[in-house]
Amino acid sequence: MNRLQLVQVDPMSTRETGSSAVYLSEVLDDINQGAGFLDRLSLDEATMLRRAASHIEVEAGESIFMQGDVHNGIFLIEQGRVRVFYAGPAGREITLAYWSPGHFIGGPEVFGGGVHMWSAVATQKAVLAYLSAPRLRQLATHVPAVALALIDGLVSKGKCYSALVQMLGTRSVTERLAQLLVILASVEGKDNGSRLVVDRRITHDQLAAIVGSTRQWVTTTLSRFQDRGIVHIQRGQIVILEPDKLPLQT
């Protein structure tokens, strides 16, 4: 777990509000659905689960697990944000998702065994609740609501990665970038009348890693959108001036 530091955290601390997962999807309403996978637990059950966890502090840029590492448990995101990505044989990376508080990482083999198919790294300082595979299996065996919650969480993950595969397989890279801008504006930006504002600081490299392209291509395509009056790019923001003109389908 790469020098992850144990910290003391209130076991009943709630997930942060106003922060959403981000990944490619056709359906915006479903993007953060998985953050509520523990909502079915009673207060006592949620307390039991979190007290069984080791709370770990992760600095921005620190690895949580690497592709090829052995599965040994899951991590509940209490605070911060985590990027999950796959690295191809030549080293090229594609971002699968940015996960926010309320979500978990470390599946699909939540009870251990096998190896991680992708890597996870904190993109900002984060607090994680680590549940070892044996402890999680014990909880799922004796507390039916925990088992059902895990199924809910895995269903949400399955929908996420299915949506990603569908976007990669059926949409052009230009359409994927346009959809990503809409997603970012919808989940983390703001609606300014007929304009959508992406007010998070996201680099062209990060956009490229999500849509499966290069930084140079993203820069060129955003410039083309700007020349056509669809977006306006300024420091720290991308303002979508004409959402209806984005090439969401060609």
Side-chain angles (χ1 to χ4, degrees):
M1 285 187 291
N2 261 359
R3 309 184 317 279
L4 302 186
Q5 180 181 357
L6 293 177
V7 296
Q8 294 295 318
V9 175
D10 177 359
M12 284 310 299
S13 61
T14 56
R15 63 178 180 266
E16 296 172 11
T17 58
S19 182
S20 173
V22 172
Y23 56 87
L24 284 176
S25 175
E26 303 275 8
V27 184
L28 301 184
D29 291 343
D30 289 348
I31 283 181
N32 210 42
Q33 187 179 48
F37 83 102
L38 294 179
D39 289 352
R40 69 165 58 241
L41 300 184
S42 69
L43 183 63
D44 288 343
E45 290 164 341
T47 301
M48 182 189 308
L49 183 143
R50 286 191 164 87
R51 283 179 176 167
S54 302
H55 290 84
I56 298 165
E57 189 173 276
V58 188
E59 296 298 327
E62 189 172 358
S63 172
I64 300 165
F65 55 80
M66 295 295 293
Q67 188 173 318
D69 287 350
V70 175
H71 272 283
N72 51 23
I74 67 171
F75 300 81
L76 309 178
I77 303 174
E78 298 279 0
Q79 300 172 27
R81 183 182 292 273
V82 175
R83 173 184 175 240
V84 175
F85 63 94
Y86 173 79
R92 182 174 175 180
E93 296 177 0
I94 183 167
T95 296
L96 305 178
Y98 285 89
W99 295 118
S100 56
H103 294 276
F104 79 89
I105 57 172
E109 295 186 71
V110 296
F111 296 139
V115 297
H116 288 286
M117 299 168 63
W118 41 73
S119 301
V121 62
T123 60
Q124 56 186 240
K125 189 172 183 178
V127 174
L128 310 172
Y130 170 68
L131 281 158
S132 69
R135 184 64 61 88
L136 193 58
R137 179 183 290 274
Q138 182 181 42
L139 284 169
T141 300
H142 293 94
V143 185
V146 170
L148 293 174
L150 284 173
I151 292 172
D152 288 342
L154 289 170
V155 166
S156 295
K157 296 293 186 190
K159 287 182 177 179
C160 157
Y161 295 124
S162 176
L164 174 62
V165 170
Q166 289 169 358
M167 287 288 293
L168 292 174
T170 64
R171 294 296 195 96
S172 70
V173 65
T174 302
E175 292 170 335
R176 296 198 295 268
L177 178 61
Q179 181 71 356
L180 178 57
L181 294 179
V182 172
I183 289 170
L184 291 171
S186 298
V187 303
E188 296 207 345
K190 55 188 177 183
D191 192 336
N192 183 13
S194 61
R195 300 178 175 185
L196 298 175
V197 180
V198 179
D199 61 0
R200 62 177 294 174
R201 295 183 178 274
I202 184 165
T203 68
H204 290 188
D205 279 317
Q206 291 169 329
L207 292 172
I210 297 174
V211 302
S213 186
T214 64
R215 179 186 59 79
Q216 293 85 351
W217 181 90
V218 167
T219 299
T220 299
T221 303
L222 288 176
S223 295
R224 189 167 70 247
F225 287 172
Q226 182 164 247
D227 291 342
R228 292 166 56 188
I230 299 173
V231 304
H232 174 64
I233 302 169
Q234 57 194 46
R235 188 176 183 85
Q237 288 187 335
I238 301 175
V239 182
I240 305 176
L241 304 172
E242 299 283 353
D244 292 341
K245 293 184 179 180
L246 280 170
L248 298 178
Q249 291 183 327
T250 58

